[in-house]
Amino acid sequence: MTVDLEGPEPLYEQIAAVLAARIADGTYPQRRRIPSEAAICEEFDVSRPTARSAIRLLNERGLTFTVRGKGTFVAEQQPSDEPAGDGTSG
Amino acid sequence: MTVDLEGPEPLYEQIAAVLAARIADGTYPQRRRIPSEAAICEEFDVSRPTARSAIRLLNERGLTFTVRGKGTFVAEQQPSDEPAGDGTSG
DNA sequence: AAATATTTGTACGTATGTATG
DNA sequence: GCATACATACGTACAAATATT
């Protein structure tokens, strides 16, 4: 999986979207750790600040939570503002 | 007003607290712009990322909102988790 | 307990892009 | 076009918490 440097979306949003998709499809199971900042830097070839921005988004959206010295973990519940939304309505 | 480099709180939290106090006491009135990132850098002698972190905190807490190219403005209402809290109960 | 490695937290510096006036 | 101001992104260093040896 890669990101689009030319796209309109910021890198950190694209990366957050990729990670969010992995959470949604179970690649990153609940309560389990997601890859470290360093690993995200490696995979997406970005700087640590950018990797951290992506994680920050996930945390803000309630998908994950971060514990210093341990890592970032998938939250047990992913709250949603769109209770019925799976995008298949149209 | 200064910040405490030796203190336990991060610089950006200390700065956010100072700005929040100015919002609370009317130094920065509602709907009015607060100082620019550059001005905050100057006043507190910090880097732009640190100034931005402070502003981000204010935004997250609903005290302010930022408009790209214009500045950061005091929100019209400051939501509170402590409906009765003004600290004068004792 | 000590040393080392891993991982996140804070902070600085800089460059470039985008939006407003 | 220029000046101001925020947004994104890279690079780096050191501190603090955790985990392993």
Side-chain angles (χ1 to χ4, degrees), chain A:
Chain A
M1 193 66 184
T2 58
V3 291
D4 178 14
L5 285 168
E6 302 296 319
E9 279 182 296
L11 277 175
Y12 70 84
E13 282 210 35
Q14 296 180 51
I15 293 168
V18 171
L19 300 178
R22 291 178 185 166
I23 290 169
D25 73 10
T27 301
Y28 301 150
Q30 290 188 5
R31 297 178 52 85
R32 292 272 300 171
R33 223 201 66 183
I34 72 171
S36 70
E37 295 175 356
I40 293 171
C41 293
E42 283 279 321
E43 176 179 356
F44 298 99
D45 194 31
V46 295
S47 68
R48 234 189 104 195
T50 299
R52 283 174 62 76
S53 291
I55 291 171
R56 176 188 281 269
L57 270 190
L58 297 180
N59 285 345
E60 284 178 359
R61 291 170 184 171
L63 274 66
T64 57
F65 60 95
T66 297
V67 181
R68 182 175 184 172
K70 296 188 70 172
T72 297
F73 301 82
V74 179
E76 297 200 43
Q77 306 177 51
Q78 291 89 34
S80 173
D81 286 351
E82 304 171 25
D86 68 350
T88 58
S89 61

Side-chain angles (χ1 to χ4, degrees), chain B residues 4 7 13 19-20 23 27-28 38 41 52 85 87-90:
Chain B
D4 178 15
E13 283 209 35
L19 300 178
I23 291 170
T27 301
Y28 301 150
C41 294
R52 282 173 62 75
T88 58
S89 59

Side-chain angles (χ1 to χ4, degrees), chain B residues 3 12 16 23 27 30 36 38-39 44 51 54 56 58 64 76 85-86 89:
Chain B
V3 293
Y12 68 85
I23 291 170
T27 301
Q30 291 191 5
S36 70
F44 297 100
R56 176 188 280 271
L58 296 180
T64 57
E76 296 200 43
D86 67 350
S89 59

